[in-house]
Amino acid sequence: MRALLSVLAATCLAMPLWAQDSSEPLIERQGSPTQPIYDNPSVPDAETVVHPDEQVVAGLSSDSVAITASFDGSDILIYGAVKRETAIPPGPPIEVIITVEAPSGSATVWRKERKAGIWVNAQSVRIAAAPSFYAVATSGPLDQILRPEWDNRYRISLTHAMRAFAGREDVDSTVPFTEALLRIRKGEGLYRLDENAVSIIDQTLFRADVRLPANLIEGAYKTRIFLLRDGRVVDAFVAPITVSKVGLERWLYRLAFDQPLIYGLMSLAVAVIAGWGASAAFRSLRRA
C-alpha cells in the first residue's frame, strides 16, 4: 500500500511538468533556409526544404524604423556572407537579390475615358493585394541573374509582387492596369528596382544600402535575401523590419482614428487661430 501511494504521489508531481512541455509554443525561426517563407507556411515546398551547400548568413543595421514629425526617410544597411562547408562550386558566380516589402493592401486602378467632353472613370481593375512599398536590389541585371520560373515561384520582381486580381474582370486585359499602378508607384518612389546595388566580395561577402522613403506606412516589413547560382535560388533568408509612428506623430495619428470628433474640433480650432493670427499680422503691417 505504501509503495502504491508513493507511485501515485510521484505521478501527480510529474503531471504539471508534462503539461508545461506540451503547451509550450513553438518558436518560429527567422531566416532559416529550411523554413518556407511564402504563401502558406504550413505547407512546405519539397524542393525548398533542403540544406543547401551555400547558405545566407545576414543581418540588418536596424530592425526598426521610427516615423516622427520630421521623418524624411531612412537608410538600412543589409549585409551578410555565404556560409559554405565545401569549396566554392565551379560555374557561374554567386548572385544576390534583396527585397524589402511593406504590408500589402488592395488597390483599384481606374481608366478614364472622354465622354460628352469630360474625362470620367470608365473601367477599373481591383488588385487583391499590392505592397505599399517594394524595393528590389540586385547584384546584376535582374533578367540575367534570375530565371522567369524562379521569379514566378518566389515573386521577386516588381510585377510579381502584386497578388491575384479581386472580383470579376470586365476588361479585355489587366496588363495596362498593372503597368499603370507600377508606373504611379515608381513615380512616388514606392516601387524601386536598383540593379547592381548589391556589392559582392570574393563570392562570399555582400552588402547593400536600401533607402526607405518618407511616405512609409506603419507595419511589419519583410526583408528577403536570395542567393542565386545560374538563375536558380539556392537559399533564402528572411528578416523583419518594424516601422511605427512615435511621439507627436503617433499621438495625432491615434487621435484621428480613436477620437475623430476631438481631432476635428482641434483641427478647426487650429485653423481659426491661424486665420486670426494671419489677419492680425496683416493689420499690424498696414498700420506700420
Side-chain angles (χ1 to χ4, degrees):
M1 186 62 182
R2 182 176 298 176
L4 179 60
L5 292 175
S6 300
V7 171
L8 290 174
T11 303
C12 293
L13 290 175
M15 284 180 64
L17 298 178
W18 294 344
Q20 184 178 359
D21 290 341
S22 61
S23 61
E24 189 173 358
L26 297 175
I27 299 175
E28 182 179 358
R29 297 171 57 199
Q30 292 290 340
S32 168
T34 60
Q35 288 289 323
I37 58 177
Y38 301 102
D39 300 329
N40 189 356
S42 63
V43 184
D45 191 321
E47 294 188 23
T48 58
V49 184
V50 294
H51 295 280
D53 295 333
E54 296 176 299
Q55 299 180 19
V56 181
V57 181
L60 309 178
S61 60
S62 175
D63 58 359
S64 63
V65 176
I67 301 177
T68 62
S70 59
F71 179 75
D72 60 352
S74 178
D75 291 314
I76 295 209
L77 169 63
I78 302 170
Y79 56 92
V82 181
K83 178 183 177 183
R84 301 184 182 93
E85 300 293 340
T86 59
I88 297 176
I94 201 78
E95 302 287 353
V96 175
I97 298 177
I98 298 174
T99 68
V100 179
E101 180 178 356
S104 298
S106 60
T108 301
V109 184
W110 289 87
R111 170 185 286 166
K112 288 184 177 297
E113 291 183 358
R114 192 178 182 87
K115 295 182 179 179
I118 60 174
W119 290 95
V120 297
N121 292 330
Q123 294 179 313
S124 67
V125 167
R126 187 169 180 268
I127 299 173
S132 59
F133 172 78
Y134 193 74
V136 182
T138 69
S139 58
L142 184 62
D143 57 349
Q144 296 181 17
I145 65 174
L146 177 65
R147 294 183 183 180
E149 59 269 25
W150 289 86
D151 184 18
N152 184 54
R153 178 176 176 180
Y154 286 89
R155 295 173 178 170
I156 297 174
S157 63
L158 294 174
T159 53
H160 285 78
M162 290 180 282
R163 300 300 190 265
F165 296 94
R168 194 182 66 175
E169 301 169 10
D170 296 327
V171 297
D172 297 333
S173 174
T174 59
V175 174
F177 294 86
T178 56
E179 290 179 346
L181 182 62
L182 286 173
R183 184 176 63 254
I184 293 171
R185 295 197 170 179
K186 281 182 179 178
E188 297 173 346
L190 296 175
Y191 285 3
R192 194 168 64 243
L193 171 60
D194 298 327
E195 293 181 328
N196 300 310
V198 180
S199 302
I200 302 178
I201 302 174
D202 295 335
Q203 296 198 50
T204 301
L205 303 177
F206 65 87
R207 61 160 290 168
D209 293 285
V210 177
R211 175 69 178 172
L212 302 180
N215 51 348
L216 291 178
I217 65 168
E218 283 189 302
Y221 286 53
K222 181 170 61 178
T223 300
R224 300 183 298 169
I225 302 172
F226 298 97
L227 206 63
L228 304 100
R229 274 198 184 275
D230 195 20
R232 303 172 72 253
V233 176
V234 298
D235 192 27
F237 184 95
V238 180
I241 300 176
T242 302
V243 177
S244 59
K245 299 179 186 293
V246 298
L248 178 62
E249 184 80 6
R250 180 169 186 80
W251 182 78
L252 291 174
Y253 178 81
R254 296 311 318 169
L255 183 66
F257 285 95
D258 298 338
Q259 302 290 339
L261 178 60
I262 297 176
Y263 181 82
L265 294 174
M266 189 177 70
S267 301
L268 181 61
V270 171
V272 170
I273 293 173
W276 176 83
S279 177
F282 278 114
R283 283 199 301 270
S284 299
L285 290 175
R286 287 179 181 178
R287 292 172 184 170

